[in-house]
Amino acid sequence: HGSAWQAVSEMRRSIVGELNLLQKKIMKDGVIKAGNVLKVDSFLNHQIDVPFISELGKEFKKLFGDRQVDKILTIEASGIGIACLTAVYFGVPVLFAKKSAGSNMDKDVYEVKSFTHNKVNHVVASKKYLNAGEHILIMDDFLANGCAVQGLIDLVKQAGGIVEGVGICIEKGFQGGGDELRASGIDVKSLAIIEKMDAETGTITFR
Ligand code: 5GP
């Protein structure tokens, strides 16, 4: 009994040893909800573990360091944290697209409609802060079907900017959005790609 158990736990340890920083954190603190939703409220989506997310920012700087990045574009609200903690290492500003034009929002905006499949959303960015010829790194916390990122790409294109790449913390690979973007020639880099997850057993398989 003892030795078999030891073998299993050693195997588990060696698998965990191959995981990167974010994958380990997801294994430790992520909660799988019904409907293929992963909750990471303890460090990314509600409470923000700033030193930890800052390490992810450093990682994105390594991954996209050879690119020209003039600005990082994300979408409110949950992309702002990772975008800012990456922008520190690039030394560039962050622009976050707003989900609806508030009363104090500029009227002169680029706009994307019909943003998600189940709800008509308007996502806007002021023409003041998104300019022709700018090299943009798009970032978000999650990538699932890819609607959010597609919308951000659309905004950059409207402005005449250049999409240098897309940096994602957690990609749900089984939802296909990331691969669709890659197939269209976009440089998508995700720190953790979930291939499979099971709410009942609590298991997660990474690509
Ligand atoms: P997409 O537009 O790619 O389908 O979804 C991306 C957006 O939906 C992200 O901005 C993220 O806020 C949210 N999202 C999608 N799947 C998940 C998930 O499993 N967990 C969390 N916390 N957010 C998700």
Side-chain angles (χ1 to χ4, degrees), residues 36-41 45 75 78 99 116-117 140-149 172 175 197:
N36 277 326
V37 171
L38 179 68
K39 289 203 80 168
V40 286
D41 281 2
N45 282 152
I75 181 165
S78 52
K99 281 183 179 158
T116 54
H117 35 103
D140 207 357
D141 58 337
F142 271 86
L143 172 63
N145 296 312
C147 302
V149 168
K172 293 193 291 179
Q175 288 185 255
M197 60 186 198

